[in-house]
Amino acid sequence: MPEPGTQSGCSSMDVAGADESLHAWFLGPRAENADILERLVLESLRDHVFWRRNFHPEDGFTIHEADRRSRGYDAANARLTQELFGLLAALKRDVPFFSGRYQGHMVGEQTIAAQVGYFAAMLYNPNNVAAEVSPVTTGLELEAADQLAAMIGYDTARSWSHLCAGGTIANLEALWIARGVRYLPVALALAARDLGIALPVRTPAGGTEDMRELSLWSLLNLDGTDTLDAYQLLHESATHRDVEVALDAHSLATIGYQDYTRQLAAAFGDALPAGVILVASTAHYSWEKIARALGIGARRMVAVPVDAHCRMDPDALWGVLSRCAAEQRPVLAVVSVCGTTEEGAVDRLDLVTQVRERAAVELGVAFHLHSDACYGGYAASVTRGADGARLSAAAIRSKHALDWPSPAWVASIEALSQADSVTIDPHKLGYVPYPAGALLVRDRRARALVSLDPPYLAPSDGADRVGEAFIGRWILEGSKPGAAAAAVWLSHRVVPLDERGYGHLITRTVEGAYRLYSALREEALAPFGVVRLAPPDLNIVNWMMTHPALRTLAEVNAFNDAIHARLSPGAADPPYFITRTRLDSPAHDGVIEPLLKQLDVDASEWRNEGLVVLRAVVMDPFLGDASATPDHVAGFVAALRSAAADVLSVAGTSSTSALRVRC
Amino acid sequence: MPEPGTQSGCSSMDVAGADESLHAWFLGPRAENADILERLVLESLRDHVFWRRNFHPEDGFTIHEADRRSRGYDAANARLTQELFGLLAALKRDVPFFSGRYQGHMVGEQTIAAQVGYFAAMLYNPNNVAAEVSPVTTGLELEAADQLAAMIGYDTARSWSHLCAGGTIANLEALWIARGVRYLPVALALAARDLGIALPVRTPAGGTEDMRELSLWSLLNLDGTDTLDAYQLLHESATHRDVEVALDAHSLATIGYQDYTRQLAAAFGDALPAGVILVASTAHYSWEKIARALGIGARRMVAVPVDAHCRMDPDALWGVLSRCAAEQRPVLAVVSVCGTTEEGAVDRLDLVTQVRERAAVELGVAFHLHSDACYGGYAASVTRGADGARLSAAAIRSKHALDWPSPAWVASIEALSQADSVTIDPHKLGYVPYPAGALLVRDRRARALVSLDPPYLAPSDGADRVGEAFIGRWILEGSKPGAAAAAVWLSHRVVPLDERGYGHLITRTVEGAYRLYSALREEALAPFGVVRLAPPDLNIVNWMMTHPALRTLAEVNAFNDAIHARLSPGAADPPYFITRTRLDSPAHDGVIEPLLKQLDVDASEWRNEGLVVLRAVVMDPFLGDASATPDHVAGFVAALRSAAADVLSVAGTSSTSALRVRC
């Protein structure tokens, strides 16, 4: 694996200097660091140019200066320049993610390191499907992904991590692997029967039994690690080929769901109810997309209710698991969230893992535990010291004036190491350009369940150097940009995954979110009222605006919709950019119900109406600084008040029907 | 939709000037056009910088000059520069795709337009999940994808096209949609029963029947367009919500395979054999990955044999379809290939569509027809004149000295317009950076079967402007780079999708491939023999080297493996880069058998051994020019001969066991 720049070490960085470093990490809202970006982009470009010049110089020139003086050449260049200028002009209508005025979606600045790293590598256009076409960037990908794995506490000697196109693909892969592991015992038991081999496995009760003798329900509730141990054991008991042939005859991946379902019924008498996925009700909508695509089915996703903090309710999870156990309904996976899309909520994964342990003992139920940390994953860097050691909540809080994080928050983050898989998007809080997602799998043996070799790779068991460097055999995607890997890698080198780097950066955004949260108060917004959701777990702030003239929940919702319309890209020249979401019942009942009292309107229709909630994603690290010019927190609150006043004056405070029409 | 640069029009380009233009399209093997790339990159960067400066100038500066003079700032910059230099140094170990010496995998140069377009848009970092975060590049994506659809002959008013991460994702989406359409009649029939609504549909026999009365086999063999007509009709017969609820109760996507399989058995008495996918045996290995992930199952993929040209054998397809009909085994999809990964073969899709028509009439069998044109799709530009009109083979051939393309080839390309879906990778023959795949669906109504709305989008039927611009609701991925769309779009603007642009470029690469094919002859390679596969359908050349001392097929294979090892990145300083593949039995029997005679060795083990075949992908447009300096065709043939001689002298011609050891 290449280690460019290792000489410079990390010693030149310290925690105290992080705030100064922060000024160098980004191009800046006013492109203050344009000189640096320009210098490095030019350096990268020229470096590449001279690489080409130096490659077999005896080859001479293919395009001659005379060729560059033809009419067609000129016309092509004129066209390129003209069209590019057209594109540049059109891009002026893009959204100013770089500005403190943008607190909309989960997109902000990119680090200069990521921008330059992407550009530099893109000139080479490596394809990270295999090291043969990306000898440098495949190494960078594995290294950068392993850094994320180490950050969340995985043992990188045992885990498997890679980058991919984004969170949806990463989550799909996680569930694909989860399904492979959960159904593996069935294939193992039937293969062991076919091969006439005894296959002992540890059972949740603590004993050891021959898998061939277990019931379908027991097989579907074995521990994942024990299952992979048995997989390894079977491979040691016969030839690789014999084992694979026997497994293929009984594997969902090979024979497909339709025959599999019939085979379960034939082999075990009863195929049991269809397997389900338990998903925090705040989970991203793409989980349903994934359940549909994989053939699991949208209705086989069971939403686990959340509490007032928008975190998965561990008691509710226990309740759902108990019902599944009573119905002998297999649970393929539980999906917890670290940084929900709408609220940035961080599930109490520590409590979820306790539920998992209790379910194994008391209910005999086991499942794949996945954390969708696509948004929040990078926040684990907050809990890492410069030496990589884990920091306590007290230690973190000692370094800033913020009432965050709580020991419970740190425990939730520490519990990521207990999840069977975790997805993290570098293109969100990693501040790198799209596309960059990551999938981290705790037990690397699981990847064999989704692997496939193309004809142009020599057969191997994957343990050799060539197999390892051929990432495409273990993942869903084929061709993918090595440039994305270079961007993530370089950004991690410059902004380390600890309190000096990303930890500091993200803490600053949380400071900004808390400043905003505090500023959203009646005094600043009068005559309007404000109802805030729980204080942020990360850097997303949610609230509703109210006014005494509004009598029903429908009117409050319409009011907030109209405010949002004035503070989003649809408006003409909006002073600030936020987003809005809708909290639906029953998924968000735990969040909604405490808020209804504060709203003080006729909320009888809340189960149909839901709540329209304004949402600010604070990815700008400078928002937390009260001395910054301008103070975008104060500016935003003034703009919010003004937008609210505009809505009501347009509508007339006495005419709520007019309000609804104008919204 | 933005139309920057429209003023410049296409009139400045003509066919005659294409060869001159070609010199301007790429940076060049010697970076001959470095000045142009540098100017445009700088222009894009500075343009972006001043966009930031001009955005609310009253905001002042967030990062002050004093901030840029702190110790921490300096340290961060030192670190960035040092690490970048490390990366740039490491990248020198990358593969020289830009050079005429590289004829390895499907990766070559990128157009300057694509490089600059990507970089320019990346600075803005738009996210093409929705226009709200990519108001400019979402439009560019839809426009660029529609250009591809128009190129293959789709009616863009009725089709649906978008870009994605790459071919595997695009193909997965195609099969996901195909499954949705194929199983839709079952849900329609059962929903119509529930709703008490008669639902007439045209049957393959030509009559009209109420879907509620049809057998499962008949339902699964309705024409796709008729099915979508019925889908529309049902929606017109009841409220949107009632229809969706009724369909959801019987849809695979909602209830999942396990319950679906049981429901089919309950509703129709017999669930029929599991649905299969018929795939050209030359299809990319990712199809198996996809069949596994979607839950269809690897064994439910039936390989259709290919002929000596590596094209799907239409008679063999008919045979497989006949067997499926006899077994009442539903055929979900037939996957034909336009530009196979290993050989660049272009299936006779025109004949495949004839088989489809005959199967509907004679067998009562219908299926989704997909063309995997990930590699070959851009070659459709060869058949387009400057005015967009289709060119005949004779018209194309009149403009160059090449014995290509045949009328049959043009007919195959024209037949793309008859496929239900087509996938094309701009990051292959579109010469744009990774990641860029595309999915084109002939009947846009089919996308509704995979669509899903997130909570932050207001409910809509998708027909409105907001719904259209929210690409994420119709596709698998969520966040994705708008920069990729800008790259494809700008490249299409500068290098049009007709004989003046991509058509010319690709024709030049085919010329190169034919020059190479012709140069691979005994006279040039003596004392070595050469056995070539059929002449290229596109720009990929396959052959085997032989020598009188080699007595068995195993020895010939080892010989070719060893030659490949000397001409690939694994070697120390290889003079040229090629790849190799292995033609396996029975998938490639149609290709292998005619070659065995020419090999003149003991080939009794060919069904176990397969054939190791050397492979050159000619993406370099300058290889076809005999007057180019250097002549890389002649250079390569000399290097090939030298590598072959090196292998045999290492091994000793009398000791074939030594040969195998040294390979």
Side-chain angles (χ1 to χ4, degrees):
Chain A
M1 200 136 342
E3 296 200 10
T6 305
Q7 305 84 334
S8 72
C10 283
S11 54
S12 63
M13 302 191 66
D14 56 39
V15 181
D19 229 39
E20 295 173 351
S21 300
L22 176 58
H23 290 119
W25 288 339
F26 298 103
L27 176 55
R30 192 97 310 165
E32 293 92 335
N33 290 321
D35 52 344
I36 293 164
L37 179 57
E38 182 170 317
R39 177 173 66 84
L40 297 180
V41 162
L42 266 181
E43 196 75 60
S44 304
L45 177 55
R46 290 174 181 165
D47 191 87
H48 176 83
V49 161
F50 287 100
W51 181 57
R52 294 195 179 199
R53 298 261 163 92
N54 292 330
F55 182 77
H56 288 277
E58 74 278 14
D59 283 356
F61 289 80
T62 300
I63 301 169
H64 298 269
E65 279 302 307
D67 298 326
R68 290 165 40 96
R69 277 156 179 81
S70 69
R71 199 183 60 87
Y73 181 93
D74 269 350
N77 261 320
R79 187 167 180 80
L80 170 60
T81 305
Q82 190 69 54
E83 294 289 346
L84 175 64
F85 284 3
L87 173 65
L88 296 180
L91 283 168
K92 299 296 163 297
R93 287 187 280 110
D94 212 62
V95 187
F97 302 135
F98 61 85
S99 168
R101 292 174 178 270
Y102 187 81
Q103 295 153 28
H105 286 286
M106 292 170 155
V107 52
E109 266 276 39
Q110 312 158 72
T111 63
I112 292 179
Q115 291 174 311
V116 176
Y118 202 105
F119 176 70
M122 191 180 77
L123 293 168
Y124 296 77
N125 203 27
N127 179 350
N128 273 23
V129 65
E132 200 176 333
V133 277
S134 55
V136 182
T137 50
T138 281
L140 300 182
E141 171 173 342
L142 295 172
E143 193 176 331
D146 270 354
Q147 289 162 350
L148 293 174
M151 174 184 70
I152 64 157
Y154 275 0
D155 171 1
T156 54
R158 300 193 57 242
S159 62
W160 155 243
S161 307
H162 69 89
L163 303 181
C164 65
T168 302
I169 302 299
N171 282 330
L172 185 149
E173 280 193 62
L175 195 49
W176 184 29
I177 287 178
R179 179 172 69 184
V181 174
R182 295 318 306 162
Y183 284 129
L184 177 59
V186 175
L188 287 172
L190 298 179
R193 285 190 201 173
D194 290 355
L195 294 167
I197 296 174
L199 194 57
V201 71
R202 204 180 64 87
T203 63
T208 300
E209 296 204 45
D210 187 338
M211 288 185 87
R212 297 175 301 175
E213 308 300 324
L214 293 178
S215 70
L216 179 56
W217 175 250
S218 299
L219 287 170
L220 293 177
N221 283 288
L222 291 174
D223 173 77
T225 304
D226 295 334
T227 300
L228 290 167
D229 286 345
Y231 179 57
Q232 205 169 338
L233 185 63
L234 187 64
H235 269 290
E236 288 160 6
S237 311
T239 69
H240 185 83
R241 194 183 148 73
D242 284 350
V243 170
E244 288 301 317
V245 167
L247 285 174
D248 276 355
H250 306 291
S251 290
L252 173 58
T254 334
I255 65 177
Y257 263 116
Q258 289 189 286
D259 287 327
Y260 191 70
T261 306
R262 291 183 250 231
Q263 199 177 87
L264 287 186
F268 297 96
D270 177 1
L272 299 182
V276 291
I277 316 289
L278 313 188
V279 176
S281 66
T282 46
H284 193 252
Y285 78 103
S286 63
W287 281 99
E288 184 175 341
K289 226 192 265 191
I290 293 166
R292 286 166 177 257
L294 292 179
I296 292 169
R299 292 212 183 153
R300 301 293 83 82
M301 273 179 51
V302 180
V304 180
V306 294
D307 64 18
H309 293 268
C310 306
R311 303 172 193 146
M312 179 191 267
D313 181 344
D315 293 336
L317 174 62
W318 175 258
V320 176
L321 288 170
S322 302
R323 283 197 298 282
C324 289
E327 296 169 11
Q328 292 225 327
R329 181 177 286 283
V331 178
L332 298 178
V334 171
V335 177
S336 169
V337 189
C338 175
T340 63
T341 307
E342 308 301 321
E343 310 89 0
V346 175
D347 277 354
R348 288 294 305 273
L349 190 60
D350 53 328
L351 302 184
V352 170
T353 61
Q354 287 171 19
V355 171
R356 176 169 67 166
E357 282 159 28
R358 195 178 148 210
V361 175
E362 294 182 26
L363 303 174
V365 165
F367 50 82
H368 182 101
L369 178 58
H370 175 75
S371 174
D372 179 345
C374 283
Y375 186 66
Y378 269 84
S381 60
V382 172
T383 70
R384 293 291 182 185
D387 58 356
R390 192 78 80 168
L391 301 174
S392 70
I396 300 166
R397 290 161 72 128
S398 71
K399 287 161 193 160
H400 56 67
L402 198 57
D403 187 24
W404 179 93
S406 64
W409 187 94
V410 172
S412 306
I413 296 292
E414 285 179 344
L416 286 171
S417 64
Q418 304 305 312
D420 296 308
S421 55
V422 177
T423 42
I424 299 180
D425 276 358
H427 66 209
K428 294 196 172 87
L429 285 181
Y431 292 82
V432 308
Y434 304 105
L439 170 64
L440 324 176
V441 179
R442 191 161 52 99
D443 189 330
R444 69 188 290 113
R445 295 175 299 177
R447 68 180 184 171
L449 303 177
V450 297
S451 78
L452 209 59
D453 286 332
Y456 38 86
L457 192 85
S460 95
D461 63 358
D464 62 344
R465 201 181 53 82
V466 173
E468 277 305 318
F470 176 39
I471 294 180
R473 77 200 298 245
W474 313 109
I475 73 170
L476 182 65
E477 287 176 274
S479 298
K480 62 205 195 66
V488 177
W489 181 89
L490 193 61
S491 201
H492 287 185
R493 296 291 290 191
V494 174
V495 186
L497 290 164
D498 58 46
E499 60 175 339
R500 301 166 302 167
Y502 281 102
H504 180 73
L505 172 58
I506 290 168
T507 299
R508 289 297 304 266
T509 68
V510 177
E511 279 185 284
Y514 271 84
R515 271 197 74 219
L516 176 59
Y517 189 81
S518 304
L520 290 171
R521 58 176 82 229
E522 316 257 327
E523 304 89 273
L525 290 163
F528 304 99
V530 60
V531 173
R532 303 175 303 181
L533 270 68
D537 281 349
L538 282 170
N539 50 18
I540 300 181
V541 181
N542 298 98
W543 75 99
M544 276 165 295
M545 299 296 291
T546 63
H547 187 271
L550 305 172
R551 306 286 162 78
T552 66
L553 189 56
E555 289 173 15
V556 174
N557 282 347
F559 182 52
N560 282 280
D561 267 335
I563 293 172
H564 165 256
R566 282 160 176 76
L567 297 172
S568 52
D573 202 16
Y576 282 84
F577 297 77
I578 57 170
T579 48
R580 62 108 160 64
T581 187
R582 182 179 289 271
L583 301 179
D584 284 324
S585 176
H588 295 86
D589 283 2
V591 193
I592 298 172
E593 289 185 88
L595 299 175
L596 292 178
K597 272 175 277 177
Q598 300 179 55
L599 279 175
D600 195 25
V601 293
D602 172 8
S604 53
E605 286 300 301
W606 71 273
R607 286 187 193 276
N608 294 325
E609 281 279 335
L611 290 193
V612 171
V613 169
L614 300 177
R615 168 176 174 263
V617 179
V618 182
M619 284 183 62
D620 182 343
F622 302 111
L623 214 66
D625 186 356
S627 65
T629 50
D631 180 352
H632 279 308
V633 168
F636 171 68
V637 171
L640 177 66
R641 195 194 162 286
S642 167
D646 185 43
V647 172
L648 277 197
S649 80
V650 164
T653 48
S654 61
S655 165
T656 52
S657 64
L659 169 68
R660 237 171 287 132
V661 169
R662 290 304 299 247
C663 297
Chain B
M1 200 135 343
E3 298 199 9
T6 304
Q7 303 85 335
S8 72
C10 283
S11 54
S12 64
M13 302 192 66
D14 56 39
V15 181
D19 229 40
E20 294 173 352
S21 300
L22 177 60
H23 289 118
W25 289 339
F26 298 102
L27 175 55
R30 189 96 312 163
E32 292 92 336
N33 290 320
D35 53 345
I36 294 166
L37 179 58
E38 182 170 316
R39 176 172 68 82
L40 297 180
V41 162
L42 266 181
E43 195 76 59
S44 304
L45 176 55
R46 290 175 181 163
D47 190 86
H48 177 82
V49 161
F50 287 99
W51 180 57
R52 292 195 179 200
R53 297 261 165 91
N54 291 331
F55 183 76
H56 287 275
E58 75 276 14
D59 283 356
F61 288 81
T62 300
I63 300 168
H64 297 269
E65 279 301 308
D67 298 327
R68 291 165 38 95
R69 280 159 178 78
S70 69
R71 199 182 60 88
Y73 182 92
D74 269 350
N77 262 319
R79 188 169 180 78
L80 171 59
T81 305
Q82 190 69 53
E83 294 289 345
L84 175 64
F85 284 4
L87 174 63
L88 296 180
L91 282 169
K92 300 297 163 299
R93 287 188 279 110
D94 213 60
V95 186
F97 302 135
F98 61 84
S99 167
R101 292 175 179 271
Y102 187 81
Q103 294 154 28
H105 286 285
M106 292 171 156
V107 52
E109 266 278 35
Q110 312 156 73
T111 63
I112 292 179
Q115 290 174 312
V116 176
Y118 202 106
F119 176 69
M122 191 180 77
L123 294 167
Y124 296 76
N125 204 27
N127 179 350
N128 273 23
V129 66
E132 200 177 334
V133 278
S134 53
V136 182
T137 49
T138 280
L140 300 182
E141 171 173 343
L142 296 173
E143 194 177 331
D146 269 355
Q147 288 162 350
L148 293 174
M151 174 184 69
I152 63 156
Y154 276 1
D155 170 2
T156 55
R158 301 192 59 239
S159 61
W160 155 243
S161 306
H162 70 89
L163 302 181
C164 65
T168 303
I169 302 299
N171 282 331
L172 186 148
E173 281 193 61
L175 195 49
W176 183 28
I177 287 178
R179 179 172 68 185
V181 174
R182 295 318 307 161
Y183 284 130
L184 177 60
V186 175
L188 287 172
L190 297 178
R193 285 190 202 173
D194 290 356
L195 295 167
I197 295 175
L199 194 57
V201 70
R202 201 180 66 87
T203 61
T208 299
E209 296 205 45
D210 188 339
M211 287 185 88
R212 297 176 300 176
E213 308 301 324
L214 291 177
S215 70
L216 179 57
W217 175 250
S218 299
L219 287 170
L220 293 177
N221 284 287
L222 291 174
D223 172 77
T225 304
D226 294 334
T227 299
L228 291 166
D229 286 345
Y231 179 58
Q232 206 170 335
L233 185 63
L234 186 64
H235 268 290
E236 288 160 7
S237 313
T239 70
H240 185 83
R241 195 182 146 73
D242 284 350
V243 171
E244 288 300 319
V245 167
L247 286 174
D248 276 356
H250 306 292
S251 290
L252 173 59
T254 335
I255 65 178
Y257 263 116
Q258 289 189 285
D259 288 327
Y260 191 70
T261 305
R262 291 183 250 229
Q263 200 178 84
L264 287 186
F268 297 96
D270 176 1
L272 299 183
V276 292
I277 317 288
L278 314 188
V279 176
S281 66
T282 46
H284 193 250
Y285 78 104
S286 63
W287 281 100
E288 183 174 343
K289 227 192 263 192
I290 292 166
R292 286 167 177 255
L294 292 179
I296 292 169
R299 291 211 184 155
R300 301 292 83 81
M301 272 177 52
V302 180
V304 180
V306 293
D307 63 18
H309 293 268
C310 305
R311 303 173 192 146
M312 180 191 266
D313 181 343
D315 293 336
L317 174 62
W318 175 259
V320 176
L321 288 170
S322 302
R323 283 197 299 281
C324 289
E327 295 169 12
Q328 292 225 326
R329 180 177 287 283
V331 178
L332 299 178
V334 170
V335 177
S336 168
V337 188
C338 176
T340 62
T341 307
E342 307 302 321
E343 309 89 0
V346 175
D347 277 355
R348 288 294 306 274
L349 189 60
D350 54 329
L351 302 184
V352 170
T353 60
Q354 286 171 17
V355 171
R356 176 168 68 165
E357 282 158 31
R358 192 177 151 212
V361 175
E362 294 182 25
L363 303 174
V365 165
F367 50 81
H368 181 101
L369 178 58
H370 175 75
S371 174
D372 179 344
C374 284
Y375 186 66
Y378 269 83
S381 59
V382 171
T383 70
R384 294 290 183 186
D387 59 356
R390 192 79 80 168
L391 302 174
S392 69
I396 300 166
R397 290 161 72 130
S398 71
K399 288 161 193 160
H400 56 66
L402 199 55
D403 187 23
W404 179 94
S406 65
W409 187 94
V410 172
S412 307
I413 295 291
E414 285 179 344
L416 286 170
S417 63
Q418 305 306 312
D420 296 308
S421 55
V422 177
T423 43
I424 299 179
D425 277 357
H427 66 209
K428 293 197 173 86
L429 285 181
Y431 293 83
V432 307
Y434 303 105
L439 170 64
L440 325 177
V441 179
R442 191 160 53 97
D443 190 330
R444 68 189 289 114
R445 297 175 298 177
R447 67 180 186 173
L449 303 177
V450 297
S451 79
L452 209 59
D453 286 333
Y456 37 85
L457 191 87
S460 95
D461 62 358
D464 62 343
R465 201 180 54 81
V466 172
E468 277 306 317
F470 176 39
I471 294 180
R473 76 201 298 244
W474 312 111
I475 72 169
L476 180 65
E477 288 176 272
S479 297
K480 64 206 193 67
V488 177
W489 181 89
L490 193 60
S491 201
H492 287 185
R493 295 291 289 191
V494 176
V495 187
L497 290 164
D498 58 45
E499 60 174 340
R500 300 166 302 167
Y502 281 101
H504 180 73
L505 172 57
I506 290 169
T507 300
R508 290 298 304 265
T509 67
V510 176
E511 280 185 284
Y514 271 84
R515 270 197 74 219
L516 177 58
Y517 189 81
S518 304
L520 291 171
R521 57 177 83 228
E522 315 258 327
E523 304 88 272
L525 290 162
F528 304 99
V530 59
V531 173
R532 303 175 303 181
L533 270 66
D537 280 349
L538 282 170
N539 50 19
I540 301 181
V541 181
N542 297 98
W543 75 98
M544 277 166 295
M545 299 295 291
T546 62
H547 187 270
L550 304 172
R551 306 285 161 79
T552 67
L553 189 55
E555 290 174 14
V556 173
N557 282 346
F559 181 52
N560 282 280
D561 267 334
I563 293 172
H564 165 256
R566 281 159 176 78
L567 296 172
S568 52
D573 201 18
Y576 282 85
F577 297 77
I578 57 169
T579 48
R580 64 107 159 65
T581 188
R582 182 179 290 271
L583 301 180
D584 284 326
S585 177
H588 296 85
D589 284 1
V591 194
I592 298 172
E593 289 184 88
L595 299 175
L596 292 179
K597 271 175 274 170
Q598 299 179 55
L599 278 174
D600 194 25
V601 293
D602 172 7
S604 52
E605 286 301 300
W606 70 273
R607 288 188 191 275
N608 294 325
E609 282 280 334
L611 291 193
V612 171
V613 168
L614 299 176
R615 168 177 174 262
V617 179
V618 182
M619 284 183 63
D620 181 343
F622 301 111
L623 214 66
D625 185 355
S627 66
T629 50
D631 180 351
H632 279 308
V633 168
F636 170 68
V637 172
L640 176 66
R641 194 193 163 286
S642 166
D646 185 43
V647 172
L648 278 196
S649 81
V650 163
T653 48
S654 61
S655 165
T656 52
S657 65
L659 169 69
R660 234 170 289 132
V661 169
R662 290 303 299 249
C663 296

